[in-house]
Amino acid sequence: MGTAGKVIKCKAAVLWELNQPFSIEEIEVAPPKTKEVRIKILATGICRTDDHVIKGAMVSKFPVIVGHEATGVVESIGEGVTTVKPGDKVIPLFLPQCRECNACRNPEGNLCIRSDVTGRGVLADGTTRFMCKGKPVYHFMNTSTFTEYTVVDESSIAKIDAAAPPEKVCLIGCGFSTGYGAAVKTGKVTPGSTCAVFGLGGVGLSVIMGCRSAGASRIIGIDLNKDKFEKALAVGATECISPQDFTKPISEVLSEMTGNTVEYTFEVIGRLETMVDALASCHVNYGTSVVVGAPPSAKMLSFDPMLLFTGRTWKGCVFGGWKSRDDVPKLVNDFLEKKFDLDQLISHVLPFKKINEGFELLYSGQSIRTVLTF
């Protein structure tokens, strides 16, 4: 493309400080350096994790460009890049796969050493590619997709089928893959089992889709917002309940409902209290509980160790346990082969300039996933 090697001026949604709305600004995006790729973003989803930065629940430097669930096209590549070329359709990866560190080399591992979960806000060489009003703007989780153009390390990009619709498969960059994988890969749900899913947002619905795909016979959705029940039932839940309808602990309610047979529980909210509730709700001896929702930073969890001593398994789950560069293209192919339906998760599609409106839909509970298009 004619822009290769040049600084690109484009529009981006910049967060200047905590608890402020996004400001649509003209930014400058530098060309990619060695082993880096510059991407033109086509569509990006709004995820609760982005809101964690706004609220301060997730550590970040400011000003910052957040966003981490997207589809784009490679605009140009830096020296030494071999896995993608200009014109390729790609998904940026908030969870890199360098293929060299211990986690990448272990068949069960996926938390690559290059992941930026601590809010460094820079690329591998320690600098940023964004400037706005003469100031550097920080990256977010190696991706920064709330912008027309972004730069990522080669280890943070997956080439996908050119036929994939960008406004749908962007969800495979985070929300869908995280939930679906929590069930089929991390939790390893078995056919005929009973599952309980705490939190029925976009990721929670994806967990339900994974449980159904794995052959679970009973899938119980749990949320305070009963408006979410209809969609949960549509994607595969067999029943839904609200904890507010009961006076006893939800673990007791589930035990009575199922004859004490809940084998798998999933916490997809990111609240400490519900993490313990979900653990207590799986079978006392052979149950597995998976933490899927991102926990608030700098918070400690207190729980009765007897919950684990009796035999339960408590697992964490980053990006559904998938190895990002290897598995994202396969998931896109599965979507194209109609093995799952992403349309059920997309409630709103808005132009990028309406990003603040998209976050209002998130806060009000009206949206499942809002996708912004460029």
Side-chain angles (χ1 to χ4, degrees):
M1 294 186 185
T3 48
K6 302 173 184 173
V7 171
I8 290 178
K9 291 185 177 180
C10 67
K11 291 283 191 277
V14 178
L15 273 177
W16 289 100
E17 52 188 292
L18 281 173
N19 297 308
Q20 295 295 315
F22 291 93
S23 178
I24 303 292
E25 306 277 6
E26 182 176 86
I27 66 163
E28 296 175 354
V29 184
K33 295 185 180 180
T34 301
K35 292 283 188 179
E36 293 177 358
V37 180
R38 189 160 60 183
I39 307 167
K40 177 179 172 60
I41 300 294
L42 301 174
T44 183
I46 291 177
C47 176
R48 180 70 68 176
T49 304
D50 300 311
D51 182 54
H52 288 341
V53 177
I54 301 171
K55 300 289 199 298
M58 196 167 182
V59 177
S60 176
K61 294 176 180 174
F62 290 87
V64 63
I65 296 171
V66 294
H68 62 284
E69 182 182 86
T71 313
V73 173
V74 174
E75 174 269 338
S76 60
I77 58 174
E79 189 179 336
V81 172
T82 59
T83 56
V84 295
K85 63 184 185 304
D88 284 346
K89 189 172 284 185
V90 293
I91 288 180
L93 306 168
F94 75 88
L95 188 70
Q97 185 186 353
C98 71
R99 298 180 171 147
E100 296 165 2
C101 69
N102 289 345
C104 285
R105 290 204 307 266
N106 188 296
E108 295 300 313
N110 77 332
L111 186 60
C112 178
I113 195 170
R114 295 192 184 180
S115 305
D116 184 9
V117 291
T118 58
R120 289 193 313 271
V122 290
L123 296 185
D125 75 339
T127 63
T128 171
R129 302 293 164 269
F130 303 129
M131 293 287 289
C132 183
K133 298 178 179 176
K135 294 181 179 177
V137 177
Y138 290 101
H139 296 251
F140 174 65
M141 294 185 80
N142 304 300
T143 48
S144 291
T145 61
F146 291 165
T147 169
E148 292 176 323
Y149 286 87
T150 190
V151 177
V152 303
D153 292 307
E154 186 180 15
S155 58
S156 295
I157 193 168
K159 179 183 175 181
I160 61 169
D161 193 307
E167 72 285 356
K168 296 179 183 178
V169 298
C170 61
L171 270 62
I172 292 174
C174 178
F176 172 76
S177 302
T178 296
Y180 190 78
V184 303
K185 196 163 177 67
T186 303
K188 295 181 170 60
V189 168
T190 53
S193 59
T194 298
C195 305
V197 180
F198 289 70
L200 301 177
V203 180
L205 295 177
S206 302
V207 173
I208 291 172
M209 292 164 73
C211 292
R212 185 178 69 172
S213 173
S217 59
R218 195 168 181 186
I219 305 167
I220 303 165
I222 303 160
D223 204 294
L224 299 176
N225 183 355
K226 293 184 180 181
D227 292 340
K228 296 182 177 180
F229 290 180
E230 182 181 354
K231 180 63 76 170
L233 294 168
V235 300
T238 53
E239 61 227 281
C240 295
I241 57 174
S242 168
Q244 290 179 324
D245 290 343
F246 305 93
T247 54
K248 59 183 68 172
I250 195 69
S251 56
E252 292 181 24
V253 173
L254 289 167
S255 181
E256 290 173 8
M257 280 176 67
T258 64
N260 191 29
T261 60
V262 179
E263 287 145 280
Y264 303 94
T265 61
F266 300 86
E267 201 280 354
V268 205
I269 303 165
R271 291 183 68 248
L272 303 183
E273 298 85 349
T274 42
M275 290 175 189
V276 179
D277 287 343
L279 177 65
S281 296
C282 69
H283 193 276
V284 64
N285 178 225
Y286 54 79
T288 295
S289 187
V290 182
V291 175
V292 190
S297 58
K299 292 285 194 298
M300 292 292 130
L301 193 57
S302 296
F303 69 99
D304 182 352
M306 188 59 74
L307 290 171
L308 291 176
F309 176 74
T310 55
R312 290 182 180 92
T313 299
W314 208 2
K315 302 180 84 171
C317 169
V318 178
F319 194 53
W322 305 110
K323 287 187 179 291
S324 57
R325 289 166 83 188
D326 294 344
D327 291 328
V328 161
K330 295 174 188 173
L331 287 166
V332 170
N333 291 341
D334 286 348
F335 167 74
L336 292 173
E337 292 169 11
K338 296 183 165 51
K339 292 184 180 178
F340 49 80
D341 180 11
L342 295 174
D343 285 337
Q344 299 178 96
L345 302 175
I346 300 168
S347 55
H348 300 79
V349 178
L350 297 173
F352 174 61
K353 65 183 179 183
K354 293 191 175 181
I355 184 169
N356 286 310
E357 189 178 314
F359 273 83
E360 287 304 321
L361 290 166
L362 175 73
Y363 301 146
S364 65
Q366 295 176 61
S367 66
I368 299 168
R369 248 321 181 258
T370 295
V371 173
L372 305 172
T373 56
F374 292 79

